[in-house]
Every structure is written in C-alpha cells, then in structure tokens.
Amino acid sequence: MNILKFDTQENRRKYGGSYFIELQFCRLPSGTKIKQILEGYDHWKDDSLYVYDDQQGDFYLKYKDVIGFGIHPNMSEGYFDTWGVTYYEPNQIGDIKERLKEHKPEEYEILLEWLEEAENYNGFYVFGV
C-alpha cells in the first residue's frame, strides 16, 4: 500500500488522474458550523495525502478503526466513506495519533507526521474516490 504525497497536482494527474482517496486539511476557520464545513471544500491540494484507487480497500481495512468515526454530509457518524466525504474535528486528532502509535498499520508514520500538521487546522477531511 502506498500513502502518497505529490509536490504538484500535475504529478498527481500523471500518476493516476482523480482516482484517489484524499486526506485534506480543513482550512475553514475554527468555529465554522459543521454543515458549512461539509459543504465548503475543494479537492486536490498539494499538502494532501493520497491513496490510489486500487489500494482503497486495503487502506480502509488497515485504517478504518485507527481513524475512527467522522461526520458525513448527512450529519451521521461513521467510518470514512471511500466514495464520499467524511470530516474529522480537531479534537479527534490526538486520539487518532495515539491509535496510530498503538496499532502501527503499514506506513503509519506518513499519516502520523501529516496529523502533526493537521493540528494547525480545523480538523481534516477524507474524500473518497
């Protein structure tokens, strides 16, 4: 499994177009209502992490319990949706980091380092393919 980071979106497109799960920082200000957060995003940021489509099942199985429940656009809570949008609040990041350190799934160091930076934002999203 590869958790990828691209220095440009052109490199991402060359690698695999738009067939990725994307983990992206939420750049909306703290205090923004959840409903607005789940409508106010753009895809394809250079500082996002990516998992290519053919590895989404593997990523889901290895990371769903570690990342845990987030919020979906219909305001339900559940594991990240590999075909939709899931938002994780800033106060969840510490627990996710602890579970990463405990379970150490494949390539967890990449996500752990990225989550360190996510603490500077208003949580993060997981965008499905």
Side-chain angles (χ1 to χ4, degrees):
M1 180 179 67
N2 289 326
I3 298 176
L4 306 165
K5 193 166 185 178
F6 298 101
D7 54 353
T8 68
Q9 290 309 303
E10 180 60 30
N11 286 342
R12 176 196 48 84
R13 284 188 289 276
K14 286 178 185 175
Y15 184 95
S18 62
Y19 288 172
F20 294 95
I21 292 174
E22 178 183 5
L23 287 81
Q24 183 187 109
F25 302 131
C26 176
R27 291 172 165 78
L28 295 171
S30 178
T32 303
K33 294 182 183 197
I34 297 289
K35 187 89 170 145
Q36 189 177 358
I37 287 172
L38 288 164
E39 296 172 350
Y41 52 83
D42 295 315
H43 295 278
W44 317 126
K45 302 294 184 189
D46 289 343
D47 55 3
S48 290
L49 295 179
Y50 296 92
V51 177
Y52 193 63
D53 175 57
D54 65 354
Q55 298 177 10
Q56 72 171 322
D58 193 31
F59 179 76
Y60 184 81
L61 290 174
K62 290 178 179 173
Y63 279 90
K64 71 178 179 70
D65 291 322
V66 172
I67 295 174
F69 280 17
I71 303 169
H72 302 288
N74 67 1
M75 303 308 289
S76 67
E77 292 187 23
Y79 293 120
F80 61 88
D81 183 353
T82 60
W83 296 100
V85 176
T86 312
Y87 170 68
Y88 292 85
E89 297 178 284
N91 63 0
Q92 294 177 272
I93 294 173
D95 290 340
I96 295 169
K97 287 170 41 182
E98 288 306 311
R99 287 190 298 268
L100 276 171
K101 292 174 190 174
E102 180 183 339
H103 297 285
K104 298 181 179 175
E106 185 178 350
E107 298 185 358
Y108 82 96
E109 301 95 341
I110 296 167
L111 181 55
L112 186 61
E113 181 179 326
W114 186 84
L115 287 170
E116 294 287 338
E117 190 173 346
E119 292 179 318
N120 298 314
Y121 294 91
N122 189 15
F124 67 96
Y125 300 99
V126 177
F127 299 128
V129 176

